[in-house]
Amino acid sequence: MAEVDQAPENGQRPCLLCGTLDDPTVEHIVPQALWKRFGLDPDHDDLARFRTDLCYQHNQATSALHQRPQMLDLIEKGTPVTKKTLQHLGDWAIWVTLLLSLARGSGVLGADASRKMLRGRFDKDSGGGTPKGFRVYAAGIDDTAEAAETDIKPYVLALRGDSRVLLRDDKPIGFSVQVGPINASEAIRLGKIALLVLGPTHESGDDHQARLDKAAAQVGLERIWPLNDALPALGPTQISMANVSRLFTVMPIGADHSLMPKVLQEMHARET
C-alpha cells in the first residue's frame, strides 16, 4: 500500500519571510500570551491558521511586536486607551495582518509586496519602521449585542501596488482586468477590539484621507493609525464585523467610486 504524503507540520517548513530551512521555529502570529488571556491553548489545532513558520532570526525580530503588555490589556479589556497603547496597536495590526495574509496566500497586497514590507521591518540592519500609507481603524466592542448587518454599498479603492491600476509617473491612468489583490482592507476582531487595516491608496482628491475616515465612521470605526492629537474614545460600540469587512473593496462593480482617483471615476462614468 502506497504511503500518503502528509503536509509538513509547523516548524518544519521554510521561513515565510526568507525561505531558509535553517533554525526553523513556529511563529504565533497572534501571540501566545493573548490566547492564554482568553483561556485558549495557543497550540490547539483550531488556531493553526494563526501560526506560521519563521527562522529563528525572524521569529526573534517579530516577537518584539508582542512584548507590549499594555497593548494586550487594551485588546483583552478595552483599556487603557492612551497614545502609547493606540500607537502600538496600530503598528501591531499592520504587521499581524500582513503576516496572516502572506501565510494564507491572499490579502490586501500580493505575496511579493507583503514579503518585501515584512523583510524591510524585520531583516537585520534593514532600518525597520512601519510602512507608509497604511491606515488602521478600531472600535471598542459592546458584547451585549452585535449591530445589525446592513446592505452597505462598499467603496472601491485604487490600491498602491495593485498591478491592475495602470500608472504613468506614479499617477493612475487606467484600470485593467488582470489578477491583483483580493481585498482593499483586512478586518479582524480580537477580545474587546475590532480592527480594520487599510492598504495604501491612490488619492481621489485633496480631502481623500478625511473621506476615508468618514467612510470608516459609518460602520462605527475610529482611526488609530496614523494617530491624531485628539485620542479616539474606543468606547463599547455595537459593531457588525460583516459591515466592517465589506466597507472597502478593489472590485468596481456595484461599489461607490467616489474614493477612486478622478481619472478612474471618469472612465467608469463613460463605461456606464
Side-chain angles (χ1 to χ4, degrees):
M1 186 179 203
E3 293 185 4
V4 178
D5 290 336
Q6 294 183 340
E9 297 180 359
N10 283 123
Q12 298 177 3
R13 294 172 293 195
C15 175
L16 185 69
L17 300 190
C18 67
T20 183
L21 284 166
D22 296 336
D23 300 320
T25 67
V26 176
E27 161 69 4
H28 292 79
I29 301 174
V30 174
Q32 299 180 70
L34 191 56
W35 291 134
K36 290 177 180 178
R37 285 176 180 230
F38 300 150
L40 299 174
D41 176 4
D43 296 315
H44 196 280
D45 289 345
D46 289 347
L47 299 179
R49 65 187 184 278
F50 297 108
R51 299 191 294 269
T52 191
D53 301 87
L54 295 180
C55 64
Y56 178 78
Q57 176 185 321
H58 282 125
N59 194 317
Q60 289 295 103
T62 58
S63 66
L65 290 178
H66 310 318
Q67 296 171 7
R68 298 167 171 177
Q70 285 196 317
M71 180 196 76
L72 298 184
D73 288 341
L74 175 58
I75 295 172
E76 179 193 6
K77 305 172 184 177
T79 59
V81 178
T82 67
K83 182 176 181 180
K84 181 179 180 180
T85 58
L86 292 176
Q87 287 179 329
H88 280 175
L89 181 61
D91 175 63
W92 180 84
I94 292 170
W95 297 114
V96 164
T97 51
L98 278 174
L99 278 168
L100 283 173
S101 63
L102 184 58
R104 70 173 183 247
S106 65
V108 172
L109 301 173
D112 291 343
S114 295
R115 187 172 285 107
K116 181 178 180 180
M117 287 185 176
L118 288 162
R119 294 197 65 172
R121 170 66 181 269
F122 297 118
D123 276 4
K124 187 178 181 180
D125 302 324
S126 63
T130 307
K132 295 180 180 179
F134 280 84
R135 295 176 89 75
V136 181
Y137 299 95
I141 297 292
D142 179 357
D143 284 324
T144 62
E146 183 175 345
E149 182 179 339
T150 57
D151 187 20
I152 65 171
K153 190 173 186 179
Y155 293 88
V156 61
L157 303 173
L159 285 184
R160 291 187 176 274
D162 185 344
S163 57
R164 289 171 298 198
V165 181
L166 307 179
L167 303 175
R168 179 182 297 148
D169 299 327
D170 197 39
K171 295 182 179 179
I173 59 171
F175 194 84
S176 75
V177 294
Q178 62 183 307
V179 176
I182 295 175
N183 306 316
S185 58
E186 294 283 353
I188 187 171
R189 174 184 171 171
L190 288 168
K192 296 289 187 179
I193 299 293
L195 292 164
L196 184 70
V197 179
L198 178 62
T201 60
H202 292 282
E203 297 199 351
S204 57
D206 292 340
D207 60 346
H208 178 75
Q209 307 297 340
R211 287 190 293 122
L212 287 175
D213 295 349
K214 186 176 180 180
Q218 294 175 14
V219 295
L221 299 174
E222 300 176 90
R223 175 162 53 89
I224 64 168
W225 185 279
L227 193 60
N228 285 326
D229 290 335
L231 299 184
L234 294 193
T237 306
Q238 293 183 1
I239 291 290
S240 165
M241 290 305 296
N243 289 348
V244 170
S245 63
R246 291 200 305 264
L247 181 62
F248 296 117
T249 182
V250 292
M251 307 309 294
I253 299 173
D256 184 319
H257 286 243
S258 63
L259 288 171
M260 290 280 273
K262 297 295 185 184
V263 64
L264 301 187
Q265 291 185 43
E266 293 167 0
M267 288 179 60
H268 174 73
R270 289 196 298 269
E271 292 171 357
T272 56

